[in-house]
Amino acid sequence: MEEKLRKFGKPAFCLLVLGIACALPWIGLKLYQVRVLTLAMAWAIAAVSLNLILGYTGQASLAHGAFLGIGAYAFGIFTERVGLNFWLAFLIAGLVTALLGFLVGLPSLRTKGPYFAIVTLCFNVIVFKVFENWTWLSGGIQGQKVPCPGFLAQRWARYYFVLAVLVLVLVVVRFIVKSLLGVTFMSIRSNENLAEAVGINTFRYKLLSFTVSCFIVGLAGALLAVENQHLDFTVTNYAYSFNLLVYVLIGGVATLSGPVLGAVGLYYFLDYMEKSLGEYRFVLFGFILIVAIIYFPLGVMGGLKRLWEWINGRRARYKAQEVAP
Amino acid sequence: MSFFLNQVIIGIQLGSQYVMVALGLTLIFGILDISHFAHGHLYMLGAYFLYILMTIAHVNYWLALPICMVALALGGVIVERLIYRPLRDQPHINTFIAAIGLFLFLETLVRAVKPRALSVSKPIDKVFSFAGITIEAQRLIVIAGAVVLVVLLHLFIKKTRLGTAIEAVAQDRDGAALVGINVNRISMLTFAIATALAAAAAVLMAPLAFISPEMGSVLILKAFVIVVLGGLGSMQGAIVGGYLLGVLEALAIAYVSSAYKDVFAFAVLILILAFRPTGLFKGRD
């Protein structure tokens, strides 16, 4: 029974969720809600990318807000001003972000723990200030237009496109995590000194993980730009780095579906609460983050996973591989 | 030349503010091993509390200073008890994330209430000038206040029994507990002192700048830059680093660009990490 569940249960469940996601625009969702879900899924892609470096490699990057903005701007500038075609600009958005991530990672990944978080946050503030003041680049307060290609002109088309990218990103991240590379990442997370001692060049792997993570978050930024068809410097705000952190931790750090669940759920929740709570809804974010890290450090999916393992009486084995970030 | 000297004095005054905040951060890091990322937001709360005291309760500035310090010290103790103590045995990064939670909570709460760009009046509204240098009295008050507080803190740690206990906990937590030092009480005391220092910095600085919800977030990043610059956990490192950064920043604003004024500190951080990751003074790893 359990063997069967393991073999067919999970893929079947994933297909079911995917099916529901595909059907959503046609079963009574308002156009506005399709837009909210599209944005939420773009954020989910960014959250998945943060999870790759935070959850699996154990490095808390607080620069993903900046990288999201850089991806968005790279896409905006290459389509609107350079006039490249959509696919090429989309790819370039990821590559430019990855390159910058690589360069930022070179000095900053030599620091550990909270200091890496602080250095990356400093980088985010620098990027924000540059985009705020360098109006030639960012378009200043008016921002700049982002053209939308013909095949994405319809709202549902953009929805499916973002969904497809999300699924693709999840498949790639799953492939990485299940491979030897993923095991190496996780060994750095659980004990960096030990990993170093057995001959793993931890710096090189952290840099790789960070660069890949930046590539994905750059794509997410481009998707946000396409959906909004407009960009201004606030997209590089470090507040977004914090938001992504909350999404990942609430959904479940170091799980595949956790960041998606956290991002979509919380983004939707925030949008829903806008009318009743106004600005106060962000106060909840801080509160939720504190309570979550003290009482539920594994998040929703991590908690469910542990519950499932516990039901199966494999608690001891599970404990041996510690999941905390 | 007098322009240059003027900038240096402004830099020392900026540095005084940084020193007070960074010293608290260093204390908390050095003694308790906590990266207290919301320290700047307690500073921000101190400034708002001063505003409430001065404009609504009409308390005299000089009386408001100790009231703010005591009130914020209590706030620091509450933060330690409610947030950091339950996380004591968890990985560092979890503590840091909890601190980010507090950071978000306080900043968005104050922003949601929307009292922006408040200001309080200066206690001594005078401008001194000699030998071509002109300087506001408040700037001198900030510099003098920082010196007095830093000296008091030094005397407290070196000369009193409680101070010695704090040093003992900083060196070896378990050893200190073994010889009968109440480690929990020392944690609370450390938070109280550090937060009172931040509150003093806020009260001294408030007449020179606007009070806003964001005033804590950039300051705390700079304080972390100073902690890294001075060497993690080193108190004299925090003092030297704070003044150094203050002067550097004032000169950069005057001679390079003011639009990017908050960026210099972070550029310094990246340079330090590239060339001298242990900082100026040898702190702890």
Short mmCIF file of all heavy atoms in Angstrom, two decimals, chain B residues 102-159:
data_model
loop_
_atom_site.label_atom_id
_atom_site.label_comp_id
_atom_site.label_asym_id
_atom_site.label_seq_id
_atom_site.Cartn_x
_atom_site.Cartn_y
_atom_site.Cartn_z
N LEU B 102 11.19 41.10 13.66
CA LEU B 102 10.98 42.23 14.56
C LEU B 102 11.19 43.55 13.81
O LEU B 102 10.44 44.51 13.97
CB LEU B 102 11.95 42.13 15.74
CG LEU B 102 11.80 43.20 16.82
CD1 LEU B 102 10.43 43.12 17.45
CD2 LEU B 102 12.87 43.04 17.87
N PHE B 103 12.22 43.56 12.97
CA PHE B 103 12.54 44.70 12.11
C PHE B 103 11.31 45.08 11.26
O PHE B 103 10.85 46.22 11.27
CB PHE B 103 13.71 44.25 11.24
CG PHE B 103 14.18 45.18 10.17
CD1 PHE B 103 15.37 45.87 10.33
CD2 PHE B 103 13.50 45.31 8.97
CE1 PHE B 103 15.85 46.69 9.31
CE2 PHE B 103 13.96 46.13 7.96
CZ PHE B 103 15.14 46.82 8.14
N LEU B 104 10.75 44.07 10.57
CA LEU B 104 9.58 44.32 9.72
C LEU B 104 8.40 44.79 10.55
O LEU B 104 7.69 45.73 10.19
CB LEU B 104 9.18 43.03 9.00
CG LEU B 104 9.99 42.61 7.80
CD1 LEU B 104 9.45 41.31 7.26
CD2 LEU B 104 9.88 43.68 6.73
N PHE B 105 8.20 44.12 11.67
CA PHE B 105 7.05 44.43 12.53
C PHE B 105 7.09 45.88 12.98
O PHE B 105 6.13 46.63 12.79
CB PHE B 105 7.06 43.48 13.73
CG PHE B 105 5.94 43.72 14.69
CD1 PHE B 105 4.65 43.29 14.39
CD2 PHE B 105 6.15 44.36 15.90
CE1 PHE B 105 3.61 43.51 15.26
CE2 PHE B 105 5.12 44.59 16.78
CZ PHE B 105 3.84 44.17 16.46
N LEU B 106 8.23 46.29 13.53
CA LEU B 106 8.31 47.65 14.08
C LEU B 106 8.23 48.70 12.98
O LEU B 106 7.50 49.69 13.09
CB LEU B 106 9.61 47.82 14.88
CG LEU B 106 9.68 47.02 16.18
CD1 LEU B 106 11.04 47.18 16.83
CD2 LEU B 106 8.59 47.45 17.14
N GLU B 107 8.97 48.46 11.88
CA GLU B 107 9.00 49.49 10.84
C GLU B 107 7.63 49.65 10.17
O GLU B 107 7.16 50.77 9.99
CB GLU B 107 10.06 49.18 9.79
CG GLU B 107 10.15 50.27 8.74
CD GLU B 107 11.40 50.20 7.89
OE1 GLU B 107 12.45 49.80 8.42
OE2 GLU B 107 11.31 50.54 6.70
N THR B 108 6.99 48.54 9.84
CA THR B 108 5.70 48.66 9.16
C THR B 108 4.63 49.16 10.10
O THR B 108 3.71 49.86 9.69
CB THR B 108 5.28 47.33 8.53
OG1 THR B 108 5.45 46.29 9.48
CG2 THR B 108 6.09 47.02 7.30
N LEU B 109 4.75 48.81 11.39
CA LEU B 109 3.77 49.30 12.35
C LEU B 109 3.82 50.82 12.44
O LEU B 109 2.80 51.51 12.33
CB LEU B 109 4.03 48.69 13.73
CG LEU B 109 3.03 49.04 14.82
CD1 LEU B 109 1.68 48.41 14.49
CD2 LEU B 109 3.50 48.57 16.18
N VAL B 110 5.03 51.36 12.59
CA VAL B 110 5.17 52.81 12.71
C VAL B 110 4.77 53.48 11.40
O VAL B 110 4.12 54.53 11.39
CB VAL B 110 6.61 53.20 13.12
CG1 VAL B 110 6.78 54.69 13.13
CG2 VAL B 110 6.92 52.63 14.50
N ARG B 111 5.11 52.85 10.27
CA ARG B 111 4.77 53.44 8.98
C ARG B 111 3.25 53.44 8.76
O ARG B 111 2.70 54.37 8.19
CB ARG B 111 5.46 52.69 7.85
CG ARG B 111 5.37 53.44 6.55
CD ARG B 111 6.05 52.71 5.43
NE ARG B 111 7.48 52.64 5.64
CZ ARG B 111 8.24 51.63 5.21
NH1 ARG B 111 7.70 50.61 4.59
NH2 ARG B 111 9.53 51.63 5.41
N ALA B 112 2.59 52.40 9.25
CA ALA B 112 1.15 52.31 9.07
C ALA B 112 0.42 53.39 9.87
O ALA B 112 -0.60 53.91 9.44
CB ALA B 112 0.66 50.92 9.47
N VAL B 113 0.98 53.75 11.02
CA VAL B 113 0.37 54.81 11.82
C VAL B 113 0.59 56.16 11.15
O VAL B 113 -0.18 57.10 11.34
CB VAL B 113 0.95 54.79 13.26
CG1 VAL B 113 0.27 55.83 14.13
CG2 VAL B 113 0.76 53.41 13.89
N LYS B 114 1.67 56.24 10.34
CA LYS B 114 1.93 57.39 9.46
C LYS B 114 2.32 58.71 10.09
O LYS B 114 1.95 59.76 9.61
CB LYS B 114 0.72 57.66 8.54
CG LYS B 114 0.65 56.73 7.36
CD LYS B 114 -0.20 57.34 6.28
CE LYS B 114 -0.17 56.49 5.03
NZ LYS B 114 -0.91 55.23 5.20
N PRO B 115 3.06 58.73 11.18
CA PRO B 115 3.58 60.04 11.58
C PRO B 115 4.95 60.23 10.95
O PRO B 115 5.94 59.76 11.47
CB PRO B 115 3.70 59.91 13.10
CG PRO B 115 3.81 58.43 13.35
CD PRO B 115 3.50 57.69 12.09
N ARG B 116 5.00 60.90 9.81
CA ARG B 116 6.27 60.99 9.09
C ARG B 116 6.95 62.33 9.32
O ARG B 116 6.31 63.32 9.63
CB ARG B 116 6.01 60.82 7.60
CG ARG B 116 5.33 59.54 7.25
CD ARG B 116 5.20 59.45 5.76
NE ARG B 116 6.53 59.41 5.18
CZ ARG B 116 7.22 58.28 5.06
NH1 ARG B 116 6.72 57.16 5.48
NH2 ARG B 116 8.41 58.29 4.52
N ALA B 117 8.26 62.33 9.15
CA ALA B 117 9.05 63.56 9.14
C ALA B 117 8.70 64.49 10.29
O ALA B 117 8.43 65.67 10.10
CB ALA B 117 8.91 64.27 7.80
N LEU B 118 8.67 63.94 11.50
CA LEU B 118 8.44 64.77 12.67
C LEU B 118 9.76 65.41 13.07
O LEU B 118 10.82 64.94 12.72
CB LEU B 118 7.94 63.90 13.82
CG LEU B 118 6.72 63.04 13.54
CD1 LEU B 118 6.46 62.12 14.70
CD2 LEU B 118 5.53 63.93 13.29
N SER B 119 9.67 66.50 13.82
CA SER B 119 10.92 67.05 14.34
C SER B 119 10.69 67.60 15.74
O SER B 119 9.57 67.95 16.11
CB SER B 119 11.45 68.15 13.42
OG SER B 119 10.49 69.18 13.35
N VAL B 120 11.75 67.61 16.52
CA VAL B 120 11.67 68.21 17.86
C VAL B 120 12.60 69.41 17.90
O VAL B 120 13.55 69.51 17.13
CB VAL B 120 12.06 67.19 18.96
CG1 VAL B 120 11.07 66.06 19.03
CG2 VAL B 120 13.47 66.66 18.73
N SER B 121 12.30 70.32 18.82
CA SER B 121 13.12 71.54 18.87
C SER B 121 14.44 71.27 19.59
O SER B 121 14.55 70.35 20.40
CB SER B 121 12.34 72.64 19.60
OG SER B 121 11.93 72.15 20.85
N LYS B 122 15.42 72.10 19.26
CA LYS B 122 16.73 71.94 19.88
C LYS B 122 16.72 72.51 21.28
O LYS B 122 16.13 73.58 21.50
CB LYS B 122 17.79 72.67 19.04
CG LYS B 122 17.96 72.12 17.64
CD LYS B 122 19.10 72.85 16.94
CE LYS B 122 19.38 72.26 15.58
NZ LYS B 122 18.36 72.61 14.57
N PRO B 123 17.37 71.85 22.24
CA PRO B 123 17.41 72.39 23.60
C PRO B 123 18.24 73.69 23.67
O PRO B 123 17.87 74.62 24.37
CB PRO B 123 18.05 71.28 24.42
CG PRO B 123 18.77 70.43 23.42
CD PRO B 123 18.01 70.55 22.15
N ILE B 124 19.35 73.73 22.96
CA ILE B 124 20.15 74.96 22.90
C ILE B 124 20.27 75.33 21.43
O ILE B 124 20.97 74.66 20.67
CB ILE B 124 21.57 74.75 23.49
CG1 ILE B 124 21.46 74.21 24.92
CG2 ILE B 124 22.36 76.05 23.45
CD1 ILE B 124 22.79 73.85 25.52
N ASP B 125 19.56 76.37 21.02
CA ASP B 125 19.54 76.70 19.60
C ASP B 125 20.56 77.79 19.31
O ASP B 125 20.23 78.95 19.15
CB ASP B 125 18.13 77.15 19.20
CG ASP B 125 17.93 76.97 17.71
OD1 ASP B 125 18.88 76.55 17.03
OD2 ASP B 125 16.82 77.24 17.23
N LYS B 126 21.81 77.38 19.26
CA LYS B 126 22.88 78.34 19.07
C LYS B 126 23.84 77.81 18.01
O LYS B 126 23.94 76.60 17.80
CB LYS B 126 23.66 78.51 20.37
CG LYS B 126 23.31 79.78 21.15
CD LYS B 126 24.34 79.94 22.24
CE LYS B 126 23.91 80.96 23.27
NZ LYS B 126 24.70 80.83 24.49
N VAL B 127 24.56 78.74 17.39
CA VAL B 127 25.62 78.32 16.47
C VAL B 127 26.90 78.97 16.92
O VAL B 127 26.96 80.19 17.09
CB VAL B 127 25.29 78.73 15.03
CG1 VAL B 127 26.44 78.35 14.10
CG2 VAL B 127 24.00 78.07 14.56
N PHE B 128 27.90 78.16 17.20
CA PHE B 128 29.20 78.70 17.60
C PHE B 128 30.06 78.89 16.37
O PHE B 128 29.96 78.12 15.42
CB PHE B 128 29.92 77.76 18.56
CG PHE B 128 29.19 77.56 19.85
CD1 PHE B 128 28.64 76.34 20.17
CD2 PHE B 128 29.06 78.61 20.74
CE1 PHE B 128 27.96 76.15 21.36
CE2 PHE B 128 28.40 78.44 21.94
CZ PHE B 128 27.84 77.21 22.25
N SER B 129 30.91 79.92 16.40
CA SER B 129 31.88 80.01 15.31
C SER B 129 33.19 80.57 15.83
O SER B 129 33.22 81.52 16.62
CB SER B 129 31.34 80.87 14.18
OG SER B 129 31.07 82.16 14.66
N PHE B 130 34.26 79.90 15.44
CA PHE B 130 35.58 80.44 15.74
C PHE B 130 36.56 79.91 14.69
O PHE B 130 36.41 78.81 14.18
CB PHE B 130 36.05 80.06 17.15
CG PHE B 130 36.19 78.59 17.39
CD1 PHE B 130 37.41 77.95 17.21
CD2 PHE B 130 35.09 77.83 17.77
CE1 PHE B 130 37.52 76.58 17.41
CE2 PHE B 130 35.20 76.47 17.98
CZ PHE B 130 36.41 75.84 17.80
N ALA B 131 37.53 80.75 14.37
CA ALA B 131 38.57 80.41 13.40
C ALA B 131 37.97 79.87 12.10
O ALA B 131 38.46 78.90 11.53
CB ALA B 131 39.56 79.41 13.99
N GLY B 132 36.87 80.46 11.67
CA GLY B 132 36.29 80.06 10.38
C GLY B 132 35.43 78.82 10.45
O GLY B 132 34.84 78.41 9.45
N ILE B 133 35.35 78.20 11.63
CA ILE B 133 34.52 77.00 11.75
C ILE B 133 33.21 77.38 12.41
O ILE B 133 33.20 78.04 13.44
CB ILE B 133 35.23 75.93 12.61
CG1 ILE B 133 36.56 75.55 11.97
CG2 ILE B 133 34.35 74.71 12.77
CD1 ILE B 133 37.42 74.71 12.87
N THR B 134 32.09 77.01 11.80
CA THR B 134 30.81 77.25 12.45
C THR B 134 30.18 75.90 12.78
O THR B 134 30.21 74.97 11.97
CB THR B 134 29.84 78.01 11.52
OG1 THR B 134 29.82 77.33 10.28
CG2 THR B 134 30.28 79.43 11.32
N ILE B 135 29.65 75.82 13.98
CA ILE B 135 29.07 74.55 14.37
C ILE B 135 27.89 74.75 15.30
O ILE B 135 27.90 75.62 16.17
CB ILE B 135 30.16 73.65 15.03
CG1 ILE B 135 29.56 72.30 15.38
CG2 ILE B 135 30.77 74.31 16.25
CD1 ILE B 135 30.58 71.21 15.48
N GLU B 136 26.85 73.96 15.07
CA GLU B 136 25.66 74.06 15.92
C GLU B 136 25.94 73.46 17.29
O GLU B 136 26.67 72.47 17.41
CB GLU B 136 24.52 73.27 15.28
CG GLU B 136 23.90 73.95 14.09
CD GLU B 136 22.93 73.02 13.40
OE1 GLU B 136 23.37 72.24 12.55
OE2 GLU B 136 21.74 73.06 13.74
N ALA B 137 25.30 74.03 18.31
CA ALA B 137 25.49 73.54 19.67
C ALA B 137 25.08 72.07 19.79
O ALA B 137 25.73 71.29 20.48
CB ALA B 137 24.69 74.39 20.65
N GLN B 138 24.00 71.71 19.08
CA GLN B 138 23.50 70.34 19.21
C GLN B 138 24.54 69.31 18.76
O GLN B 138 24.64 68.23 19.33
CB GLN B 138 22.20 70.18 18.41
CG GLN B 138 21.48 68.86 18.63
CD GLN B 138 21.03 68.67 20.07
OE1 GLN B 138 20.70 69.62 20.77
NE2 GLN B 138 21.01 67.43 20.52
N ARG B 139 25.32 69.69 17.74
CA ARG B 139 26.35 68.74 17.28
C ARG B 139 27.38 68.49 18.37
O ARG B 139 27.83 67.37 18.58
CB ARG B 139 27.03 69.27 16.02
CG ARG B 139 26.11 69.32 14.81
CD ARG B 139 26.89 69.56 13.53
NE ARG B 139 26.02 69.89 12.43
CZ ARG B 139 25.42 68.99 11.66
NH1 ARG B 139 25.58 67.71 11.88
NH2 ARG B 139 24.63 69.37 10.67
N LEU B 140 27.73 69.58 19.08
CA LEU B 140 28.68 69.42 20.20
C LEU B 140 28.07 68.56 21.30
O LEU B 140 28.76 67.74 21.93
CB LEU B 140 29.08 70.79 20.74
CG LEU B 140 29.88 71.66 19.76
CD1 LEU B 140 30.15 73.03 20.36
CD2 LEU B 140 31.20 70.97 19.41
N ILE B 141 26.76 68.74 21.52
CA ILE B 141 26.09 67.94 22.56
C ILE B 141 26.14 66.46 22.22
O ILE B 141 26.40 65.61 23.08
CB ILE B 141 24.62 68.41 22.74
CG1 ILE B 141 24.59 69.84 23.31
CG2 ILE B 141 23.86 67.46 23.65
CD1 ILE B 141 23.20 70.43 23.37
N VAL B 142 25.93 66.14 20.93
CA VAL B 142 25.99 64.74 20.51
C VAL B 142 27.38 64.17 20.79
O VAL B 142 27.52 63.09 21.36
CB VAL B 142 25.66 64.59 19.00
CG1 VAL B 142 25.84 63.15 18.56
CG2 VAL B 142 24.24 65.05 18.71
N ILE B 143 28.41 64.94 20.39
CA ILE B 143 29.78 64.45 20.57
C ILE B 143 30.09 64.25 22.05
O ILE B 143 30.56 63.19 22.47
CB ILE B 143 30.79 65.44 19.92
CG1 ILE B 143 30.55 65.48 18.40
CG2 ILE B 143 32.22 65.03 20.24
CD1 ILE B 143 31.33 66.57 17.69
N ALA B 144 29.75 65.27 22.86
CA ALA B 144 30.04 65.18 24.29
C ALA B 144 29.24 64.04 24.93
O ALA B 144 29.78 63.27 25.74
CB ALA B 144 29.70 66.51 24.96
N GLY B 145 27.97 63.93 24.56
CA GLY B 145 27.12 62.88 25.13
C GLY B 145 27.69 61.50 24.86
O GLY B 145 27.74 60.64 25.75
N ALA B 146 28.15 61.29 23.62
CA ALA B 146 28.71 59.99 23.27
C ALA B 146 29.94 59.69 24.10
O ALA B 146 30.10 58.59 24.63
CB ALA B 146 29.05 59.95 21.78
N VAL B 147 30.82 60.71 24.25
CA VAL B 147 32.04 60.48 25.02
C VAL B 147 31.70 60.10 26.46
O VAL B 147 32.22 59.12 27.01
CB VAL B 147 32.94 61.75 24.98
CG1 VAL B 147 34.09 61.61 25.96
CG2 VAL B 147 33.45 61.97 23.57
N VAL B 148 30.78 60.87 27.07
CA VAL B 148 30.40 60.58 28.46
C VAL B 148 29.85 59.16 28.59
O VAL B 148 30.26 58.39 29.47
CB VAL B 148 29.34 61.61 28.95
CG1 VAL B 148 28.75 61.18 30.27
CG2 VAL B 148 29.98 62.99 29.07
N LEU B 149 28.95 58.78 27.70
CA LEU B 149 28.32 57.46 27.80
C LEU B 149 29.33 56.34 27.59
O LEU B 149 29.30 55.32 28.28
CB LEU B 149 27.17 57.34 26.80
CG LEU B 149 25.91 58.10 27.21
CD1 LEU B 149 24.93 58.18 26.07
CD2 LEU B 149 25.27 57.45 28.42
N VAL B 150 30.22 56.53 26.62
CA VAL B 150 31.20 55.48 26.35
C VAL B 150 32.14 55.31 27.54
O VAL B 150 32.44 54.19 27.96
CB VAL B 150 32.00 55.80 25.05
CG1 VAL B 150 33.20 54.88 24.92
CG2 VAL B 150 31.10 55.67 23.84
N VAL B 151 32.55 56.43 28.15
CA VAL B 151 33.42 56.35 29.33
C VAL B 151 32.69 55.66 30.48
O VAL B 151 33.22 54.77 31.15
CB VAL B 151 33.91 57.75 29.74
CG1 VAL B 151 34.59 57.70 31.11
CG2 VAL B 151 34.86 58.30 28.70
N LEU B 152 31.42 56.04 30.69
CA LEU B 152 30.63 55.41 31.75
C LEU B 152 30.51 53.91 31.53
O LEU B 152 30.67 53.12 32.47
CB LEU B 152 29.23 56.03 31.82
CG LEU B 152 29.10 57.38 32.52
CD1 LEU B 152 27.65 57.87 32.48
CD2 LEU B 152 29.57 57.26 33.97
N LEU B 153 30.26 53.53 30.29
CA LEU B 153 30.12 52.10 29.98
C LEU B 153 31.42 51.36 30.27
O LEU B 153 31.42 50.28 30.87
CB LEU B 153 29.74 51.93 28.50
CG LEU B 153 29.58 50.48 28.04
CD1 LEU B 153 28.37 49.84 28.67
CD2 LEU B 153 29.47 50.40 26.52
N HIS B 154 32.53 51.99 29.86
CA HIS B 154 33.83 51.37 30.09
C HIS B 154 34.07 51.18 31.59
O HIS B 154 34.47 50.10 32.04
CB HIS B 154 34.93 52.24 29.48
CG HIS B 154 36.30 51.68 29.67
ND1 HIS B 154 36.80 50.68 28.88
CD2 HIS B 154 37.26 51.97 30.59
CE1 HIS B 154 38.01 50.37 29.30
NE2 HIS B 154 38.31 51.13 30.32
N LEU B 155 33.80 52.22 32.38
CA LEU B 155 34.00 52.13 33.83
C LEU B 155 33.11 51.05 34.42
O LEU B 155 33.54 50.27 35.28
CB LEU B 155 33.70 53.49 34.49
CG LEU B 155 34.72 54.58 34.21
CD1 LEU B 155 34.30 55.89 34.88
CD2 LEU B 155 36.10 54.15 34.73
N PHE B 156 31.86 51.01 33.95
CA PHE B 156 30.93 50.02 34.48
C PHE B 156 31.45 48.60 34.26
O PHE B 156 31.44 47.77 35.16
CB PHE B 156 29.56 50.18 33.79
CG PHE B 156 28.59 49.10 34.15
CD1 PHE B 156 27.97 49.08 35.40
CD2 PHE B 156 28.29 48.09 33.25
CE1 PHE B 156 27.08 48.09 35.73
CE2 PHE B 156 27.40 47.09 33.58
CZ PHE B 156 26.79 47.09 34.83
N ILE B 157 31.96 48.34 33.04
CA ILE B 157 32.40 46.98 32.75
C ILE B 157 33.70 46.64 33.46
O ILE B 157 33.88 45.53 33.95
CB ILE B 157 32.50 46.78 31.22
CG1 ILE B 157 31.09 46.72 30.64
CG2 ILE B 157 33.25 45.50 30.87
CD1 ILE B 157 31.01 46.50 29.18
N LYS B 158 34.59 47.61 33.57
CA LYS B 158 35.89 47.31 34.15
C LYS B 158 35.91 47.38 35.68
O LYS B 158 36.71 46.71 36.33
CB LYS B 158 36.96 48.27 33.59
CG LYS B 158 37.23 48.09 32.12
CD LYS B 158 37.91 46.74 31.82
CE LYS B 158 37.98 46.50 30.33
NZ LYS B 158 38.31 45.14 29.95
N LYS B 159 35.05 48.24 36.27
CA LYS B 159 35.21 48.51 37.70
C LYS B 159 34.15 47.87 38.61
O LYS B 159 34.35 47.81 39.81
CB LYS B 159 35.20 50.03 37.95
CG LYS B 159 36.28 50.80 37.22
CD LYS B 159 37.64 50.62 37.84
CE LYS B 159 38.69 51.33 37.01
NZ LYS B 159 40.05 51.02 37.42
#
